[in-house]
């Protein structure tokens, strides 16, 4: 069992930056694939970025060059640095983990509670 807790969401102007954090419980964090998903009102949840235990990364096309995912295994924490934010980035952002390849959405079956990110124009 893994428990996840996100933090760092908030309200920011277009062009601004935010860093999301996700703290995970458990002793096997270093080998876990970790993903950041988001869900905007009326839209399906989408995988935004992911990182494997070996630190290979995946990014959705819509965030490439603007978002960076990283992990600190000593702190059992994964981060999502979001720069050049746009109004269309507004969503609830979820941290997730599971078992399997980091870039497959079917890998993820443990979820955090989500944190709201709102980008004003």
């Amino acid at each position: 069992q893994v428990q996840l807790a996100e933090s760092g969401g908030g309200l920011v102007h277009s062009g601004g930056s935010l860093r999301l954090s996700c703290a995970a419980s458990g002793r096997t964090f270093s080998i876990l694939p970790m993903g950041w998903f988001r869900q905007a009102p009326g839209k399906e949840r989408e995988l935004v970025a992911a990182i494997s235990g070996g630190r290979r990364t995946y990014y959705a096309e819509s965030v490439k060059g603007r978002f960076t995912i990283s992990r600190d295994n000593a702190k059992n924490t994964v981060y999502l640095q979001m720069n050049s934010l746009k109004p269309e980035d507004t969503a609830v952002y979820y941290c997730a983990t599971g078992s399997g390849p980091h870039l497959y959405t079917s890998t993820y079956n443990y979820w955090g509670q989500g944190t709201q990110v709102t980008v004003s124009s």
Side-chain angles (χ1 to χ4, degrees):
Q1 188 79 7
V2 179
Q3 294 185 326
L4 304 171
E6 303 99 333
S7 61
L11 173 64
V12 64
H13 290 299
S14 181
S17 297
L18 282 174
R19 188 177 80 155
L20 305 182
S21 300
C22 173
S25 65
R27 297 174 294 175
T28 61
F29 176 81
S30 64
I31 65 172
L32 293 176
M34 300 297 300
W36 284 100
F37 289 73
R38 68 185 180 188
Q39 187 166 23
K43 295 188 177 180
E44 292 187 357
R45 189 175 296 187
E46 63 170 335
L47 179 60
V48 172
I51 187 166
S52 71
R55 301 181 188 270
R56 289 171 294 168
T57 57
Y58 161 85
Y59 296 97
E61 284 295 326
S62 58
V63 306
K64 276 184 180 178
R66 300 188 299 123
F67 290 12
T68 302
I69 189 170
S70 62
R71 65 192 301 156
D72 184 338
N73 291 336
K75 296 182 178 179
N76 278 18
T77 300
V78 63
Y79 304 99
L80 186 67
Q81 178 66 43
M82 305 185 294
N83 298 329
S84 302
L85 283 162
K86 305 175 182 179
E88 51 263 44
D89 294 317
T90 295
V92 177
Y93 284 71
Y94 298 89
C95 174
T97 189
S99 179
H102 67 293
L103 45 66
Y104 293 164
T105 57
S106 58
T107 286
Y108 300 94
N109 56 350
Y110 292 100
W111 298 86
Q113 81 285 356
T115 185
Q116 177 70 46
V117 171
T118 302
V119 185
S120 63
S121 57

